[in-house]
Amino acid sequence: MDFSRHVHILLAVLLGAAVGVGLYTFVYAKGASYMTDNPGACANCHVMDAHYGAWLKSSHGRVAVCNDCHTPAGFVGKYSVKATNGFWHSFAFTSGWFPDQIQITERNLKVTEGACRKCHSDMVHAIQLTSDDDSFSCIRCHRSVGHLE
Amino acid sequence: NIAQRKQEAQSPFYRVVELNDSIEDPEIWGKNFPMQYDGYVRTVDQKRTRYGGSEAVPRTPDQADPRSIVAQSRLEQDPRLRTMWAGYAFAVDFREERGHAFMLEDQTYTKRQEVAKQPGTCMHCHASVYVPYKKLGDGDLIKGFEKMNQLPYKEARKLVSHPVACIDCHDPSTMQLRVTRPGFMEGIRALKASQGVADYDVNKMASRQEMRAFVCGQCHVEYYFKGPEKRLVYPWANGLRADQILAYYEETGFKDWTHAESGAPALKAQHPEFEMWNQGIHGRSGVACADCHMPYQREGALKISDHHVQSPLLNINRACQTCHKWSEEELKTRAETNQERTLSLRNTAMDALIQLIGDIKAAKAGGKTDQQLEQARNFQRRAQFLLDFVEAENSSGFHAPQEAVRVLGESINYSRLGQVALRDGKSVAGTD
Amino acid sequence: NIAQRKQEAQSPFYRVVELNDSIEDPEIWGKNFPMQYDGYVRTVDQKRTRYGGSEAVPRTPDQADPRSIVAQSRLEQDPRLRTMWAGYAFAVDFREERGHAFMLEDQTYTKRQEVAKQPGTCMHCHASVYVPYKKLGDGDLIKGFEKMNQLPYKEARKLVSHPVACIDCHDPSTMQLRVTRPGFMEGIRALKASQGVADYDVNKMASRQEMRAFVCGQCHVEYYFKGPEKRLVYPWANGLRADQILAYYEETGFKDWTHAESGAPALKAQHPEFEMWNQGIHGRSGVACADCHMPYQREGALKISDHHVQSPLLNINRACQTCHKWSEEELKTRAETNQERTLSLRNTAMDALIQLIGDIKAAKAGGKTDQQLEQARNFQRRAQFLLDFVEAENSSGFHAPQEAVRVLGESINYSRLGQVALRDGKSVAGTD
Ligand SMILES: [Ca+2]
Ligand SMILES: [Ca+2]
């Protein structure tokens, strides 16, 4: 038997199911609102509740919404990140396959770091003078700006 | 799925049975709180971490001891412990501790029971004693405690039936946490008095977050049996630090036994997790035992406390990553780095103590009098207690990394001073 | 107001002068970067913290030493230091260190210069040597370094004019951080080689965040002068831990001097801040020296690095509170708790060492031969280096609380073993 073919079939079935389930989740969990900038859209998922609550209390609760920090600038960038994240969040949420303490991915952390500079470039101009090395992280010191612990 | 989860979120618990203050059996409580009960029964799991957890070691059950699985022997892992405890029951049997499910049978069948007559006091921390105490005291918890303390172990054993159970930590009507152990009520009162707080009543005056550590402090503490009544006492009247507890024993002149090889008036330290945690940065930051050992866990739309009490290193995502954004691997390494440093100095301290004991033994054999040995024996008493305080503390130093190592440093000093005193046959200037 | 801030923000710095690689004077750099320069000159401030900072002690200037203000004497604060360093220049004059502004004059006028002939090597860490090295080496930094090392101090002193200056940490064209000190370039290369990284070139291979610690590691490190060329060497070929550095000295057989009272081949440890920081949790978390000692500071609409390098405890809000949400008072207490624990065991270790030195001295006076004293002296050498490693580290344990105390524990062990060895007149089983 051709093992890899079976794997392919299995994957196709799983993916179909995932898209189906994802779509179901998308509709039922008011997925359309995911496309807006309304933070309530994120909090539609109860697993986002704590982040929503912590965001409300944070220094940015009144100046930046989730998407300001979690999507890159520009229409295409914004919606492609949303699409990728949206799919995986729905899938993870429905399957339950995610850790209790959600960890931000490297990719999304980069997006967020970019977001800080998007708004604060004036302020940080001087400290970026010596190097614009993008591994120099803002949240190393300002971890709690988006979500007060 | 989401529909079910939305539903769950609305009515988290169903009151299936009516609980009251005389229902001991956790299975009955579990009818109302099945998820907590599920966790609770999983404390039978045995899994090792680098320095903690426990290993399931098979054994052949016999007449005296029906257990077919025990935890690994610490005496075999480090035979120096036999020398340290020579003449005391611990030198006969001492194992790595394991989950709560085993506490009653491990106490009942330890070989320590065969070599020493133990009092009913032991029960305080190895069984669900709340209902039995109340029964024995005709409704008065403290009276029941005092009565059970004075029974022989075998008699007391007949009065209890469960390891620590829901009722020992929870009020059945509100499910609020509560302290049910007289030892802790009195110990914390003495401690608070030393800090200028009079008449401290833990169940009235502690905050919810404090209770998330105090319920564990009911048992995970240093203790001794006071007087002929064998009253369980937590030696906290001077404070919780190892040296403050040692000072307490020095003032009261208490000893656990006379060391078989050296003749020193020795002390045994036991599981001072609560005391050490109090010296550490997590304790200081208000991070309670339950935050790490019973972290919140997602059950559908709910968050519940994981009642599978265990090593947090078996559960780093939930136990640590709520607060720390480092990777699981990195967090494990951080904890283990603290543990390694502690254990490396613990080994230096252990060698020093064993050499001191050897020296006193040789001096005794060589005809030195008790008077000539007195000073060295006193150094041994102190060195040994301080070392044992860290040795017996079950986090291998994690709960208070710097303090654990400081205490070991003082222990080393005493052991070596004992050797010097022995050689000088007189007091060493400025150190006594 | 906002208009003004926007203006500032758009062009944060005005290029008033053209900087290049031969401009030493920080005042000229300060024309382009006035805010950083303002901070830089404020390192003349003297203010004590509980265990750090420094105190301005007035003195009457004289021929030999024109300073009218110095820092407090550590020898007066703890006379045991005189015994520890007997026969070495440090026993004559040793003061609390103070701000960068003083580094050149404090080195020039310390009484240690009067009792020992120092080489030009000293300059490496107390002056702006980048331009002088290049000049002396005809454009070759390393050659200039080697040449200056071999000059007598007084000669070398004439070649330099500033304490550490902008050019020592910054590339004038990009303002990027750079390492200009041969000692560090070679030290870190040896360290990386021991970790399997060949040909490490710090200025090409370090990340920006690493550079925020490496520029300080140029000077705040343990060092020795190697061979007749008096080459400055950072003893890191085995690693950065105190015991690894001790092992390095054991292998090379190096000694700083012969102890005047005991005759031991002694070692002096100096300011191993970089090494200790590497063992601590902040170092492990990537928190660099500059994060705490040069925290960001708002100046109008900009934030800049505070070039007033000082104790972070004088500046808790900016130095600690971006990462830690505890109150200033609480953060101070946390740091001081770590420091107190370290200093309490440091005192135990100091007593032990002083007693060992006293014992060897007495044995020598009593006619014991060098051979009979050898073992005790070797114990002293080790005990003393480990104690001094913590003693000389200027954070009083804060940079690596558990490690500092572990090292002290090992020191105590060696001191007391020395006393035992002396009494036995022979080797102690299993400890050598
Ligand atoms: Ca265990
Ligand atoms: Ca200072």
Side-chain angles (χ1 to χ4, degrees):
Chain A
M1 269 210 294
D2 183 352
F3 179 72
S4 75
R5 240 184 87 180
H6 279 265
V7 171
H8 278 120
I9 293 168
L10 188 67
L11 272 181
V13 171
L14 273 179
L15 200 64
V19 171
V21 171
L23 205 62
Y24 168 73
T25 307
F26 184 84
V27 173
Y28 189 79
K30 308 196 192 112
S33 62
Y34 196 94
M35 293 309 189
T36 75
D37 277 337
N38 179 3
C42 305
N44 259 338
C45 276
H46 56 72
V47 296
M48 297 285 105
D49 281 355
H51 305 90
Y52 181 78
W55 165 74
L56 279 177
K57 280 187 273 166
S58 77
S59 62
H60 286 62
R62 270 167 205 82
V63 299
V65 295
C66 316
N67 284 337
D68 287 326
C69 291
H70 290 292
T71 56
F75 184 85
V76 175
K78 178 167 174 173
Y79 286 96
S80 76
V81 165
K82 276 195 163 209
T84 322
N85 287 346
F87 173 77
W88 284 114
H89 292 192
S90 298
F91 182 69
F93 185 77
T94 308
S95 67
W97 293 346
F98 60 94
D100 281 16
Q101 294 305 325
I102 297 169
Q103 303 298 307
I104 196 163
T105 56
E106 277 299 319
R107 186 174 48 90
N108 282 328
L109 201 55
K110 280 223 174 77
V111 169
T112 302
E113 284 283 349
C116 310
R117 287 151 171 101
K118 190 168 66 187
C119 292
H120 294 291
S121 60
D122 282 358
M123 169 71 73
V124 300
H125 187 99
I127 67 167
Q128 295 289 65
L129 176 77
T130 55
S131 158
D132 47 15
D133 177 350
D134 71 355
S135 71
F136 190 75
S137 153
C138 307
I139 67 158
R140 198 165 57 75
C141 297
H142 298 294
R143 183 137 262 186
S144 61
V145 292
H147 313 268
L148 200 67
E149 284 117 28
Chain B
N1 66 39
I2 291 182
Q4 187 193 327
R5 291 195 183 163
K6 288 217 157 162
Q7 158 98 50
E8 274 173 8
Q10 267 139 36
S11 63
F13 303 113
Y14 301 94
R15 194 186 290 182
V16 177
V17 292
E18 204 55 57
L19 294 173
N20 67 45
D21 215 24
S22 67
I23 298 177
E24 228 178 298
D25 190 347
E27 210 178 325
I28 300 174
W29 291 58
K31 296 223 156 46
N32 287 358
F33 308 106
M35 293 176 284
Q36 284 82 1
Y37 181 71
D38 277 1
Y40 172 86
V41 295
R42 272 202 308 277
T43 59
V44 293
D45 289 0
Q46 291 196 250
K47 203 165 161 190
R48 271 186 89 144
T49 58
R50 182 113 172 243
Y51 302 110
S54 76
E55 195 179 315
V57 178
R59 72 180 287 281
T60 317
D62 56 33
Q63 198 67 29
D65 180 354
R67 293 174 300 173
S68 59
I69 285 174
V70 290
Q72 72 268 35
S73 166
R74 298 292 318 284
L75 300 175
E76 275 163 31
Q77 284 176 338
D78 189 345
R80 290 174 298 181
L81 294 171
R82 288 211 171 89
T83 308
M84 166 148 109
W85 296 322
Y88 201 49
F90 276 83
V92 174
D93 188 12
F94 172 58
R95 293 177 180 280
E96 175 66 27
E97 85 289 7
R98 49 183 177 158
H100 282 171
F102 299 106
M103 62 169 73
L104 193 46
E105 58 175 84
D106 282 347
Q107 184 180 61
T108 308
Y109 300 114
T110 174
K111 295 226 162 10
R112 299 209 290 276
Q113 293 280 10
E114 295 174 16
V115 296
K117 205 177 133 331
Q118 306 290 8
T121 319
C122 294
M123 223 50 84
H124 183 278
C125 302
H126 285 258
S128 184
V129 288
Y130 179 73
V131 174
Y133 276 173
K134 293 260 279 211
K135 270 196 199 142
L136 204 59
D138 295 321
D140 183 334
L141 186 79
I142 302 294
K143 256 203 201 120
F145 162 66
E146 288 165 345
K147 275 196 179 163
M148 197 181 296
N149 290 344
Q150 296 179 48
L151 294 178
Y153 183 84
K154 288 246 162 71
E155 292 306 307
R157 180 65 186 81
K158 293 180 196 147
L159 304 177
V160 305
S161 7
H162 299 279
V164 62
C166 322
I167 199 167
D168 295 298
C169 298
H170 290 284
D171 179 319
S173 51
T174 61
M175 287 310 283
Q176 257 190 328
L177 291 180
R178 64 173 175 185
V179 165
T180 56
R181 293 305 192 269
F184 189 84
M185 294 171 189
E186 294 174 3
I188 195 96
R189 198 182 302 135
L191 175 67
K192 293 280 179 178
S194 79
Q195 297 163 347
V197 182
D199 300 321
Y200 186 78
D201 181 336
V202 61
N203 282 319
K204 292 207 181 103
M205 295 158 86
S207 70
R208 174 175 167 199
Q209 185 60 13
E210 284 175 325
M211 287 303 265
R212 290 166 56 85
F214 288 178
V215 292
C216 316
Q218 298 187 100
C219 302
H220 287 268
V221 297
E222 159 63 2
Y223 70 89
Y224 77 114
F225 296 160
K226 189 175 169 182
E229 307 82 22
K230 301 282 174 194
R231 191 181 195 87
L232 181 67
V233 173
Y234 299 172
W236 299 343
N238 292 334
L240 295 176
R241 280 205 329 262
D243 36 306
Q244 292 169 326
I245 292 178
L246 177 56
Y248 173 94
Y249 286 132
E250 294 295 71
E251 285 158 21
T252 54
F254 179 79
K255 70 169 176 190
D256 277 302
W257 87 105
T258 299
H259 196 276
E261 299 190 1
S262 72
L267 293 166
K268 175 82 189 75
Q270 282 113 337
H271 33 73
E273 278 90 59
F274 181 73
E275 293 89 335
M276 271 292 193
W277 163 79
N278 250 288
Q279 308 307 316
I281 200 75
H282 286 106
R284 178 154 198 129
S285 305
V287 185
C289 321
D291 290 329
C292 301
H293 290 278
M294 301 180 66
Y296 290 117
Q297 163 184 25
R298 180 166 49 83
E299 285 288 347
L302 286 178
K303 282 207 166 173
I304 63 152
S305 301
D306 187 351
H307 279 61
H308 179 190
V309 175
Q310 64 176 338
S311 164
L313 299 185
L314 294 170
N315 190 10
I316 292 176
N317 173 254
R318 289 195 257 120
C320 317
Q321 288 185 317
T322 353
C323 299
H324 297 286
K325 300 297 167 189
W326 314 107
S327 73
E328 295 199 20
E329 201 41 43
E330 171 63 14
L331 280 160
K332 187 152 116 336
T333 309
R334 287 178 180 216
E336 287 176 0
T337 303
N338 286 341
Q339 292 180 318
E340 268 157 36
R341 278 204 203 101
T342 307
L343 293 176
S344 101
L345 203 64
R346 173 244 184 224
N347 276 332
T348 304
M350 186 67 82
D351 282 339
L353 180 73
I354 300 303
Q355 288 167 19
L356 171 60
I357 292 173
D359 285 355
I360 304 182
K361 190 177 163 189
K364 217 173 95 185
K368 289 265 158 81
T369 64
D370 281 350
Q371 213 197 324
Q372 287 170 313
L373 297 175
E374 192 189 344
Q375 227 206 347
R377 285 172 173 163
N378 275 332
F379 277 123
Q380 183 197 332
R381 171 182 162 94
R382 284 177 272 166
Q384 178 159 333
F385 180 75
L386 295 178
L387 165 57
D388 209 1
F389 202 86
V390 177
E391 166 65 28
E393 207 281 327
N394 285 289
S395 74
S396 310
F398 176 82
H399 292 145
Q402 191 192 22
E403 172 68 0
V405 171
R406 187 191 67 82
V407 169
L408 290 171
E410 296 291 354
S411 170
I412 293 171
N413 193 39
Y414 287 138
S415 284
R416 298 300 185 195
L417 277 175
Q419 291 184 282
V420 172
L422 213 53
R423 281 156 179 79
D424 285 351
K426 64 174 169 62
S427 173
V428 180
T431 53
D432 205 358
Chain C
N1 64 41
I2 292 181
Q4 187 191 327
R5 289 200 183 163
K6 288 227 155 148
Q7 161 95 49
E8 274 173 13
Q10 265 141 36
S11 60
F13 303 111
Y14 299 94
R15 195 187 288 185
V16 177
V17 293
E18 205 55 56
L19 294 173
N20 67 46
D21 215 23
S22 67
I23 299 177
E24 227 180 298
D25 189 347
E27 212 179 322
I28 300 175
W29 291 57
K31 295 219 158 43
N32 287 358
F33 308 106
M35 295 177 282
Q36 284 83 0
Y37 182 71
D38 278 0
Y40 172 84
V41 295
R42 272 205 305 280
T43 58
V44 292
D45 290 0
Q46 291 197 250
K47 205 166 160 190
R48 271 185 87 143
T49 57
R50 183 115 171 240
Y51 302 111
S54 77
E55 198 179 312
V57 179
R59 72 179 288 280
T60 317
D62 54 34
Q63 198 68 28
D65 180 355
R67 293 174 301 171
S68 59
I69 285 173
V70 291
Q72 72 268 32
S73 164
R74 300 290 319 284
L75 299 174
E76 275 163 33
Q77 283 177 339
D78 189 345
R80 291 174 297 183
L81 294 171
R82 288 212 172 89
T83 309
M84 168 150 108
W85 296 322
Y88 201 51
F90 277 84
V92 174
D93 188 12
F94 172 58
R95 296 178 179 279
E96 175 65 25
E97 87 289 7
R98 49 183 177 157
H100 283 169
F102 299 106
M103 61 169 72
L104 191 47
E105 58 175 88
D106 283 347
Q107 184 180 59
T108 309
Y109 300 116
T110 175
K111 295 225 167 4
R112 299 208 290 276
Q113 294 279 10
E114 297 173 16
V115 297
K117 207 178 132 333
Q118 305 291 6
T121 319
C122 294
M123 224 49 83
H124 184 277
C125 302
H126 284 259
S128 184
V129 288
Y130 179 72
V131 175
Y133 277 172
K134 294 257 281 209
K135 271 196 201 143
L136 204 59
D138 294 319
D140 184 333
L141 187 79
I142 302 293
K143 254 200 205 124
F145 161 68
E146 288 166 345
K147 276 197 179 163
M148 197 181 298
N149 290 344
Q150 296 180 48
L151 294 179
Y153 182 84
K154 287 242 162 76
E155 292 305 308
R157 178 66 186 79
K158 293 179 196 147
L159 305 176
V160 304
S161 9
H162 298 279
V164 63
C166 322
I167 198 167
D168 295 298
C169 298
H170 291 285
D171 180 318
S173 52
T174 62
M175 288 309 283
Q176 256 190 332
L177 292 179
R178 65 171 176 186
V179 166
T180 56
R181 293 304 191 267
F184 189 85
M185 294 171 189
E186 294 173 4
I188 195 96
R189 196 181 307 134
L191 175 67
K192 293 281 179 178
S194 79
Q195 297 163 349
V197 182
D199 299 322
Y200 186 78
D201 179 337
V202 60
N203 282 319
K204 293 211 182 102
M205 294 158 88
S207 70
R208 175 176 174 194
Q209 184 59 14
E210 284 175 324
M211 287 302 268
R212 292 167 56 86
F214 288 178
V215 290
C216 315
Q218 299 187 97
C219 303
H220 287 268
V221 297
E222 161 62 2
Y223 70 90
Y224 78 113
F225 296 159
K226 190 173 168 184
E229 307 81 21
K230 301 284 174 192
R231 191 182 197 84
L232 181 67
V233 173
Y234 299 172
W236 299 342
N238 292 334
L240 295 176
R241 280 205 330 260
D243 35 306
Q244 291 168 326
I245 293 179
L246 177 55
Y248 173 93
Y249 286 131
E250 295 294 69
E251 286 158 20
T252 53
F254 179 78
K255 73 171 174 190
D256 277 301
W257 86 105
T258 300
H259 197 273
E261 299 190 2
S262 71
L267 294 166
K268 174 80 190 76
Q270 281 113 337
H271 34 73
E273 278 90 59
F274 181 74
E275 293 88 334
M276 272 291 193
W277 164 80
N278 251 288
Q279 309 307 317
I281 199 75
H282 286 106
R284 183 159 193 124
S285 304
V287 184
C289 321
D291 292 342
C292 299
H293 289 279
M294 302 180 66
Y296 289 125
Q297 154 186 33
R298 239 172 333 161
E299 289 284 348
L302 287 177
K303 51 192 272 197
I304 61 155
S305 300
D306 187 351
H307 279 62
H308 180 190
V309 174
Q310 63 177 338
S311 163
L313 299 184
L314 295 170
N315 191 11
I316 294 177
N317 172 254
R318 290 192 270 118
C320 320
Q321 286 184 315
T322 24
C323 296
H324 296 286
K325 298 299 162 193
W326 315 107
S327 73
E328 294 200 19
E329 201 41 45
E330 171 64 13
L331 279 160
K332 187 151 112 353
T333 310
R334 286 178 180 214
E336 287 176 359
T337 303
N338 286 341
Q339 293 179 318
E340 268 158 37
R341 277 202 204 103
T342 306
L343 293 176
S344 102
L345 203 66
R346 173 249 185 220
N347 276 331
T348 303
M350 186 67 80
D351 282 339
L353 179 73
I354 300 302
Q355 288 167 19
L356 170 59
I357 292 174
D359 285 357
I360 305 180
K361 189 178 162 186
K364 217 174 94 185
K368 290 264 159 78
T369 64
D370 281 350
Q371 211 198 325
Q372 285 170 313
L373 296 175
E374 192 190 343
Q375 224 205 350
R377 285 173 173 161
N378 276 332
F379 278 124
Q380 182 197 332
R381 172 182 160 93
R382 284 177 271 168
Q384 179 160 331
F385 180 75
L386 295 178
L387 165 56
D388 210 2
F389 202 87
V390 178
E391 167 64 27
E393 206 283 326
N394 285 289
S395 74
S396 309
F398 176 83
H399 292 146
Q402 192 193 20
E403 172 69 359
V405 170
R406 185 190 69 80
V407 169
L408 290 171
E410 296 291 355
S411 170
I412 294 171
N413 192 40
Y414 287 138
S415 283
R416 298 302 186 194
L417 277 175
Q419 291 185 283
V420 172
L422 212 52
R423 283 155 177 79
D424 285 352
K426 64 173 170 62
S427 174
V428 180
T431 54
D432 206 358

